[in-house]
Short mmCIF file of all heavy atoms in Angstrom, two decimals:
data_model
loop_
_atom_site.label_atom_id
_atom_site.label_comp_id
_atom_site.label_asym_id
_atom_site.label_seq_id
_atom_site.Cartn_x
_atom_site.Cartn_y
_atom_site.Cartn_z
N ILE A 78 -5.63 -1.66 3.13
CA ILE A 78 -4.38 -2.36 2.88
C ILE A 78 -4.62 -3.86 3.05
O ILE A 78 -5.38 -4.28 3.92
CB ILE A 78 -3.27 -1.87 3.85
CG1 ILE A 78 -1.92 -2.47 3.50
CG2 ILE A 78 -3.63 -2.15 5.31
CD1 ILE A 78 -0.75 -1.86 4.29
N SER A 79 -3.97 -4.65 2.21
CA SER A 79 -4.10 -6.10 2.29
C SER A 79 -2.84 -6.74 1.75
O SER A 79 -2.00 -6.06 1.13
CB SER A 79 -5.33 -6.59 1.53
OG SER A 79 -5.22 -6.28 0.15
N ARG A 80 -2.72 -8.04 1.97
CA ARG A 80 -1.55 -8.77 1.48
C ARG A 80 -1.96 -10.15 1.01
O ARG A 80 -2.90 -10.75 1.54
CB ARG A 80 -0.49 -8.87 2.58
CG ARG A 80 -0.89 -9.67 3.80
CD ARG A 80 0.11 -9.50 4.96
NE ARG A 80 1.45 -9.90 4.54
CZ ARG A 80 2.57 -9.46 5.13
NH1 ARG A 80 2.50 -8.63 6.16
NH2 ARG A 80 3.74 -9.86 4.70
N ASP A 81 -1.22 -10.65 0.01
CA ASP A 81 -1.39 -12.01 -0.49
C ASP A 81 -0.02 -12.67 -0.41
O ASP A 81 0.84 -12.44 -1.28
CB ASP A 81 -1.91 -11.99 -1.93
CG ASP A 81 -2.24 -13.37 -2.45
OD1 ASP A 81 -1.63 -14.36 -1.97
OD2 ASP A 81 -3.07 -13.48 -3.36
N ASN A 82 0.19 -13.46 0.63
CA ASN A 82 1.51 -14.05 0.85
C ASN A 82 1.86 -15.07 -0.23
O ASN A 82 3.05 -15.27 -0.54
CB ASN A 82 1.56 -14.68 2.23
CG ASN A 82 1.48 -13.66 3.34
OD1 ASN A 82 1.87 -12.50 3.18
ND2 ASN A 82 0.95 -14.08 4.48
N ALA A 83 0.87 -15.73 -0.79
CA ALA A 83 1.15 -16.70 -1.85
C ALA A 83 1.70 -16.02 -3.10
O ALA A 83 2.46 -16.63 -3.86
CB ALA A 83 -0.12 -17.47 -2.19
N LYS A 84 1.33 -14.76 -3.29
CA LYS A 84 1.79 -14.01 -4.44
C LYS A 84 2.90 -13.02 -4.10
O LYS A 84 3.36 -12.27 -4.97
CB LYS A 84 0.62 -13.24 -5.07
CG LYS A 84 -0.46 -14.14 -5.64
CD LYS A 84 -1.56 -13.32 -6.30
CE LYS A 84 -2.62 -14.22 -6.91
NZ LYS A 84 -3.71 -13.44 -7.56
N ASN A 85 3.29 -12.99 -2.83
CA ASN A 85 4.32 -12.04 -2.39
C ASN A 85 3.97 -10.61 -2.80
O ASN A 85 4.82 -9.86 -3.32
CB ASN A 85 5.69 -12.42 -2.96
CG ASN A 85 6.34 -13.57 -2.23
OD1 ASN A 85 5.81 -14.05 -1.22
ND2 ASN A 85 7.45 -14.03 -2.74
N THR A 86 2.73 -10.24 -2.55
CA THR A 86 2.25 -8.95 -3.02
C THR A 86 1.45 -8.23 -1.93
O THR A 86 0.63 -8.85 -1.25
CB THR A 86 1.39 -9.10 -4.28
OG1 THR A 86 2.16 -9.74 -5.29
CG2 THR A 86 0.94 -7.74 -4.80
N LEU A 87 1.73 -6.95 -1.83
CA LEU A 87 1.01 -6.04 -0.94
C LEU A 87 0.11 -5.16 -1.79
O LEU A 87 0.48 -4.78 -2.91
CB LEU A 87 2.02 -5.19 -0.17
CG LEU A 87 1.50 -4.12 0.76
CD1 LEU A 87 0.92 -4.76 2.03
CD2 LEU A 87 2.61 -3.14 1.12
N TYR A 88 -1.06 -4.81 -1.24
CA TYR A 88 -2.01 -3.99 -1.99
C TYR A 88 -2.44 -2.77 -1.17
O TYR A 88 -2.43 -2.79 0.06
CB TYR A 88 -3.26 -4.79 -2.35
CG TYR A 88 -3.00 -6.01 -3.18
CD1 TYR A 88 -2.95 -7.27 -2.59
CD2 TYR A 88 -2.79 -5.92 -4.55
CE1 TYR A 88 -2.71 -8.40 -3.35
CE2 TYR A 88 -2.55 -7.05 -5.32
CZ TYR A 88 -2.51 -8.29 -4.70
OH TYR A 88 -2.27 -9.40 -5.46
N LEU A 89 -2.86 -1.75 -1.90
CA LEU A 89 -3.53 -0.62 -1.29
C LEU A 89 -4.70 -0.24 -2.19
O LEU A 89 -4.50 0.28 -3.29
CB LEU A 89 -2.59 0.58 -1.12
CG LEU A 89 -3.21 1.76 -0.37
CD1 LEU A 89 -3.45 1.41 1.09
CD2 LEU A 89 -2.31 3.01 -0.47
N GLN A 90 -5.90 -0.55 -1.72
CA GLN A 90 -7.11 -0.18 -2.44
C GLN A 90 -7.52 1.22 -2.00
O GLN A 90 -7.76 1.44 -0.80
CB GLN A 90 -8.23 -1.17 -2.16
CG GLN A 90 -9.55 -0.84 -2.85
CD GLN A 90 -9.47 -0.95 -4.35
OE1 GLN A 90 -9.00 -1.97 -4.88
NE2 GLN A 90 -9.93 0.07 -5.07
N MET A 91 -7.61 2.14 -2.95
CA MET A 91 -7.92 3.53 -2.63
C MET A 91 -9.25 3.90 -3.28
O MET A 91 -9.40 3.74 -4.50
CB MET A 91 -6.81 4.44 -3.14
CG MET A 91 -5.43 4.08 -2.61
SD MET A 91 -4.14 5.21 -3.17
CE MET A 91 -4.10 4.79 -4.92
N SER A 92 -10.17 4.38 -2.48
CA SER A 92 -11.49 4.77 -2.97
C SER A 92 -11.81 6.19 -2.53
O SER A 92 -11.14 6.74 -1.65
CB SER A 92 -12.55 3.81 -2.43
OG SER A 92 -12.25 2.48 -2.76
N SER A 93 -12.82 6.77 -3.15
CA SER A 93 -13.25 8.14 -2.83
C SER A 93 -12.05 9.08 -2.82
O SER A 93 -11.86 9.87 -1.89
CB SER A 93 -13.96 8.18 -1.47
OG SER A 93 -15.09 7.34 -1.48
N LEU A 94 -11.25 8.98 -3.83
CA LEU A 94 -10.00 9.74 -3.87
C LEU A 94 -10.27 11.23 -3.96
O LEU A 94 -11.23 11.69 -4.58
CB LEU A 94 -9.15 9.28 -5.05
CG LEU A 94 -8.43 7.95 -4.82
CD1 LEU A 94 -8.01 7.32 -6.13
CD2 LEU A 94 -7.23 8.16 -3.91
N LYS A 95 -9.37 11.97 -3.31
CA LYS A 95 -9.44 13.42 -3.25
C LYS A 95 -8.18 14.02 -3.87
O LYS A 95 -7.15 13.35 -3.95
CB LYS A 95 -9.56 13.89 -1.80
CG LYS A 95 -10.68 13.25 -1.02
CD LYS A 95 -10.64 13.67 0.44
CE LYS A 95 -11.74 13.03 1.25
NZ LYS A 95 -11.70 13.43 2.67
N ALA A 96 -8.26 15.28 -4.24
CA ALA A 96 -7.09 15.94 -4.82
C ALA A 96 -5.90 15.89 -3.88
O ALA A 96 -4.75 15.75 -4.30
CB ALA A 96 -7.44 17.38 -5.17
N GLU A 97 -6.18 15.98 -2.57
CA GLU A 97 -5.09 15.97 -1.59
C GLU A 97 -4.44 14.60 -1.42
O GLU A 97 -3.45 14.46 -0.70
CB GLU A 97 -5.57 16.49 -0.23
CG GLU A 97 -6.84 15.83 0.27
CD GLU A 97 -8.08 16.65 -0.05
OE1 GLU A 97 -8.18 17.17 -1.20
OE2 GLU A 97 -8.94 16.77 0.84
N ASP A 98 -4.96 13.57 -2.09
CA ASP A 98 -4.30 12.27 -2.09
C ASP A 98 -3.22 12.19 -3.15
O ASP A 98 -2.49 11.20 -3.22
CB ASP A 98 -5.33 11.15 -2.35
CG ASP A 98 -6.34 11.01 -1.23
OD1 ASP A 98 -5.95 11.08 -0.05
OD2 ASP A 98 -7.54 10.81 -1.53
N THR A 99 -3.11 13.20 -3.98
CA THR A 99 -2.07 13.23 -5.01
C THR A 99 -0.69 13.17 -4.37
O THR A 99 -0.35 13.99 -3.51
CB THR A 99 -2.19 14.50 -5.86
OG1 THR A 99 -3.43 14.46 -6.59
CG2 THR A 99 -1.03 14.62 -6.84
N ALA A 100 0.10 12.18 -4.77
CA ALA A 100 1.42 11.97 -4.17
C ALA A 100 2.10 10.80 -4.88
O ALA A 100 1.49 10.09 -5.66
CB ALA A 100 1.28 11.65 -2.67
N VAL A 101 3.37 10.62 -4.54
CA VAL A 101 4.06 9.39 -4.89
C VAL A 101 3.90 8.43 -3.72
O VAL A 101 4.19 8.80 -2.58
CB VAL A 101 5.55 9.63 -5.19
CG1 VAL A 101 6.26 8.32 -5.50
CG2 VAL A 101 5.71 10.62 -6.34
N TYR A 102 3.44 7.24 -4.01
CA TYR A 102 3.16 6.24 -2.98
C TYR A 102 4.27 5.18 -2.97
O TYR A 102 4.65 4.67 -4.03
CB TYR A 102 1.81 5.58 -3.22
CG TYR A 102 0.65 6.47 -2.86
CD1 TYR A 102 0.33 7.58 -3.63
CD2 TYR A 102 -0.12 6.22 -1.71
CE1 TYR A 102 -0.72 8.42 -3.27
CE2 TYR A 102 -1.17 7.04 -1.36
CZ TYR A 102 -1.46 8.14 -2.14
OH TYR A 102 -2.51 8.97 -1.79
N TYR A 103 4.72 4.85 -1.76
CA TYR A 103 5.81 3.90 -1.57
C TYR A 103 5.37 2.76 -0.67
O TYR A 103 4.75 3.00 0.37
CB TYR A 103 7.01 4.57 -0.92
CG TYR A 103 7.59 5.74 -1.69
CD1 TYR A 103 7.11 7.03 -1.47
CD2 TYR A 103 8.60 5.55 -2.62
CE1 TYR A 103 7.64 8.10 -2.17
CE2 TYR A 103 9.13 6.62 -3.32
CZ TYR A 103 8.65 7.89 -3.10
OH TYR A 103 9.18 8.95 -3.78
N CYS A 104 5.78 1.54 -1.02
CA CYS A 104 5.63 0.43 -0.08
C CYS A 104 6.99 0.19 0.58
O CYS A 104 8.03 0.52 0.03
CB CYS A 104 5.15 -0.84 -0.79
SG CYS A 104 6.22 -1.44 -2.11
N ALA A 105 6.94 -0.39 1.77
CA ALA A 105 8.16 -0.58 2.54
C ALA A 105 8.03 -1.77 3.48
O ALA A 105 6.92 -2.13 3.91
CB ALA A 105 8.48 0.68 3.34
N VAL A 106 9.18 -2.34 3.81
CA VAL A 106 9.25 -3.51 4.70
C VAL A 106 9.73 -3.07 6.08
O VAL A 106 10.79 -2.42 6.21
CB VAL A 106 10.26 -4.55 4.16
CG1 VAL A 106 10.23 -5.79 5.04
CG2 VAL A 106 9.98 -4.88 2.73
N HIS A 107 8.97 -3.44 7.10
CA HIS A 107 9.38 -3.09 8.46
C HIS A 107 10.62 -3.90 8.85
O HIS A 107 10.76 -5.06 8.45
CB HIS A 107 8.25 -3.34 9.43
CG HIS A 107 8.46 -2.73 10.77
ND1 HIS A 107 8.90 -3.46 11.86
CD2 HIS A 107 8.33 -1.44 11.19
CE1 HIS A 107 9.02 -2.64 12.90
NE2 HIS A 107 8.68 -1.42 12.52
N ARG A 108 11.48 -3.31 9.65
CA ARG A 108 12.76 -3.93 9.97
C ARG A 108 12.63 -5.15 10.89
O ARG A 108 13.52 -5.98 10.94
CB ARG A 108 13.69 -2.92 10.63
CG ARG A 108 13.21 -2.40 11.96
CD ARG A 108 14.19 -1.40 12.55
NE ARG A 108 14.59 -0.37 11.60
CZ ARG A 108 15.32 0.68 11.90
NH1 ARG A 108 15.72 0.85 13.15
NH2 ARG A 108 15.66 1.55 10.98
N GLN A 109 11.53 -5.26 11.63
CA GLN A 109 11.40 -6.33 12.62
C GLN A 109 10.45 -7.40 12.12
O GLN A 109 9.32 -7.11 11.72
CB GLN A 109 10.89 -5.76 13.93
CG GLN A 109 10.76 -6.78 15.05
CD GLN A 109 10.27 -6.15 16.35
OE1 GLN A 109 10.18 -4.93 16.47
NE2 GLN A 109 9.95 -6.98 17.32
#
């Protein structure tokens, strides 16, 4: 996981993917 504050963008680099990684992925903002 990484972030680029200048671009207001969050990233998730996923490698060596497995069948069990199949899902809907969501980003979210912590309340604090």
